[in-house]
């Protein structure tokens, strides 16, 4: 929901949607999924080129809408193949965008329903569309040694958001890495390799395709038994062997500790007021040798729960990265809904 205060151009920092409005207005919008609305015949002709949105707004106030797309226009692309799909009463109609620019298709004086960007397939060249893409890496915190999930997706926030929710349910932690340094192509297959020995399952080959947010996204699992040294990850195009992406994992455990430190620092005030089950948390920390009995007594000796939590957080902070990681993992296990709520973007 966006309460726009006056005439002007406004962009959503999360979805990339942008609106030009001529007066103050309230706009509500949410993601929908292409698979619910495109027929089998439509999939033969069209490929989604961005998220599908359900938008509601007072009629006549929006002068233009910018719908995000992930087609790379830095390469030569025939923008006449781009259309805006409208869905009303189960029927799809198509409209030519007013103009197509980098990262969005613009529609002047729009009417609203379900809206999204489609690109017409070229049957003679199925791999002809260059796509902005993302590499997403998650470490499963409860898995043995270092177990990573490696995703390759178009730069579609609705898909990224769905993966993040799924991985949170699997007790995973996101490891930020840059996107590929050249456009990728739907229908192509990319090979994932490492500089150190790692087991990659089900195989090292990862097809690049579009799957709606409600579908299970493709990924490969990378199992690294010993992360004592840094490991290089690479991705190459199987058609020509050209490298399209690379990154270093310097120590996944160390990187996670830094992320945990940032989380605890950012949320210290909220943790002081909301962290519960203190006796259980102290018991786990003592069993892990993070704190001793004297330190436990110091925490329990405070006269309010908020002071107890503050003393505990400051005590763990002084003990360093590994102690903070232990506390974070205990909180994930004992109060996962609190962690999930605190990790939501503000």
């Amino acid at each position: 929901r966006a309460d726009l205060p006056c005439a002007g151009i406004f962009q959503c920092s999360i979805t990339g949607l942008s609106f030009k409005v001529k007066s103050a207005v309230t706009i509500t919008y949410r993601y929908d999924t292409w698979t619910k609305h495109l027929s089998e015949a439509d999939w033969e002709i069209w490929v989604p080129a961005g998220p599908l949105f359900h938008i509601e707004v007072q009629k006549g106030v929006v002068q233009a809408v910018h719908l995000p797309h992930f087609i790379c226009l830095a390469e030569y692309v025939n923008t006449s193949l781009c259309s805006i799909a409208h869905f009303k009463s189960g029927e799809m109609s198509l409209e030519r965008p007013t103009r197509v620019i980098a990262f969005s298709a613009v529609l002047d004086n729009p009417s609203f329903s379900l809206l999204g960007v489609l690109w017409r397939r070229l049957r003679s060249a199925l791999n002809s569309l260059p796509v902005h893409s993302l590499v997403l890496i998650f470490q499963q915190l409860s898995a043995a040694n270092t177990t990573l999930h490696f995703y390759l997706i178009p730069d579609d926030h609705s898909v990224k958001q769905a993966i993040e929710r799924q991985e949170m349910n699997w007790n995973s932690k996101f490891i930020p890495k840059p996107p590929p340094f050249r456009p990728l192509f739907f229908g192509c297959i990319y090979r994932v390799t490492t500089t150190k020995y790692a087991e990659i399952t089900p195989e090292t080959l990862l097809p690049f395709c579009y799957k709606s947010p409600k579908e299970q996204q493709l990924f490969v699992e990378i199992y690294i038994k010993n992360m004592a040294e840094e490991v290089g990850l690479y991705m190459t195009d199987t058609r020509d062997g050209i490298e399209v992406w690379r990154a270093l994992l310097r120590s996944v455990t160390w990187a996670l500790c830094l992320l945990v430190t940032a989380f605890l620092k950012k949320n210290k005030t909220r943790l002081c007021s909301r962290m519960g089950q203190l006796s259980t948390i102290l018991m786990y920390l003592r069993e892990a040798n993070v704190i001793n009995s004297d330190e436990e007594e110091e925490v329990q000796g405070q006269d309010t729960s908020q002071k107890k939590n503050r003393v505990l957080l400051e005590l763990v902070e002084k003990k360093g990265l590994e102690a903070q990681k232990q506390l974070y993992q205990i909180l994930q296990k004992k109060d996962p809904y609190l962690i999930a709520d605190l990790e939501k973007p503000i």
Side-chain angles (χ1 to χ4, degrees):
R1 175 188 173 102
D3 295 309
L4 306 183
C6 59
I9 299 174
F10 301 87
Q11 184 177 43
C12 173
S13 61
I14 296 174
T15 63
L17 264 178
S18 183
F19 300 94
K20 181 181 180 181
V21 298
K22 58 185 179 184
S23 65
V25 69
T26 295
I27 305 176
T28 60
Y29 50 97
R30 60 177 171 81
Y31 289 124
D32 211 305
T33 59
W34 289 104
T35 47
K36 284 169 53 179
H37 302 284
L38 287 179
S39 67
E40 289 187 19
D42 292 332
W43 282 101
E44 293 293 320
I45 302 171
W46 300 97
V47 60
L52 180 63
F53 294 96
H54 184 279
I55 303 172
E56 295 179 349
V57 62
Q58 178 186 338
K59 188 175 181 180
V61 177
V62 177
Q63 295 174 299
V65 61
H66 290 234
L67 296 164
H69 71 74
F70 46 68
I71 304 302
C72 178
L73 301 186
E75 307 278 323
Y76 172 74
V77 172
N78 184 356
T79 57
S80 69
L81 300 175
C82 176
S83 289
I84 306 297
H86 296 247
F87 295 94
K88 289 183 179 179
S89 303
E91 297 293 324
M92 181 176 76
S93 61
L94 297 170
E95 187 172 350
R96 286 292 305 277
T98 307
R99 59 191 180 280
V100 181
I101 59 177
F103 305 110
S104 65
V106 184
L107 191 60
D108 289 342
N109 302 312
S111 60
F112 289 102
S113 57
L114 288 169
L115 291 178
V117 182
L118 291 175
W119 222 276
R120 193 174 187 89
R121 294 181 185 272
L122 288 178
R123 296 187 182 277
S124 60
L126 292 177
N127 301 330
S128 62
L129 281 179
V131 173
H132 293 293
S133 59
L134 298 174
V135 168
L136 304 182
I137 302 176
F138 295 84
Q139 184 188 10
Q140 285 203 284
L141 299 178
S142 57
N145 296 304
T146 300
T147 301
L148 308 174
H149 289 170
F150 183 105
Y151 296 83
L152 177 61
I153 62 169
D155 189 359
D156 180 328
H157 186 79
S158 65
V159 176
K160 180 175 182 285
Q161 193 178 72
I163 292 172
E164 289 172 339
R165 282 198 300 267
Q166 177 66 79
E167 287 289 343
M168 184 179 293
N169 291 335
W170 291 344
N171 191 29
S172 300
K173 189 71 179 178
F174 177 56
I175 302 174
K177 289 298 174 186
F181 40 75
R182 55 186 296 173
L184 305 187
F185 295 85
F186 283 147
C188 289
I189 297 175
Y190 296 88
R191 186 184 303 278
V192 181
T193 55
T194 62
T195 54
K196 304 290 183 182
Y197 175 74
E199 296 179 22
I200 302 178
T201 56
E203 58 182 344
T204 61
L205 303 179
L206 190 57
F208 184 47
C209 59
Y210 181 86
K211 284 182 170 289
S212 284
K214 296 292 186 183
E215 297 180 274
Q216 174 61 58
Q217 303 295 319
L218 300 177
F219 67 89
V220 296
E221 184 175 270
I222 303 174
Y223 172 74
I224 305 171
K225 189 172 183 179
N226 183 5
M227 268 296 295
E229 301 177 19
E230 67 181 20
V231 174
L233 295 177
Y234 298 90
M235 191 166 63
T236 55
D237 191 327
T238 57
R239 296 174 302 172
D240 50 23
I242 293 178
E243 184 179 283
V244 297
W245 177 86
R246 77 173 78 94
L248 282 177
L249 295 176
R250 289 185 172 83
S251 169
V252 178
T253 301
W254 179 260
L256 284 172
C257 286
L258 293 177
L259 290 170
V260 166
T261 298
F263 170 83
L264 294 176
K265 183 177 181 180
K266 175 183 175 182
N267 294 288
K268 185 174 181 178
T269 301
R270 290 197 287 175
L271 284 168
C272 285
S273 60
R274 296 176 59 184
M275 192 166 62
Q277 306 182 62
L278 184 64
S279 296
T280 304
I281 292 171
L282 290 169
M283 180 189 72
Y284 276 100
L285 289 172
R286 195 173 66 252
E287 289 177 351
N289 293 319
V290 175
I291 63 172
N292 56 41
S293 58
D294 291 339
E295 290 165 333
E296 183 179 4
E297 286 182 16
E298 180 187 355
V299 172
Q300 292 285 32
Q302 306 303 311
D303 56 3
T304 67
S305 60
Q306 189 160 340
K307 286 182 180 179
K308 291 177 182 180
N309 288 340
R310 180 171 295 279
V311 170
L312 175 60
L313 290 169
E314 291 174 351
L315 184 64
V316 169
E317 183 181 349
K318 290 176 184 176
K319 289 178 177 283
L321 296 177
E322 186 59 34
Q324 292 172 67
K325 189 183 85 167
Q326 289 280 356
L327 174 60
Y328 177 83
Q329 290 178 336
I330 291 167
L331 290 173
Q332 269 200 324
K333 182 177 180 180
K334 303 307 297 181
D335 202 346
Y337 292 104
L338 172 62
I339 297 298
D341 187 58
L342 293 178
E343 286 186 331
K344 287 179 183 176
I346 296 176

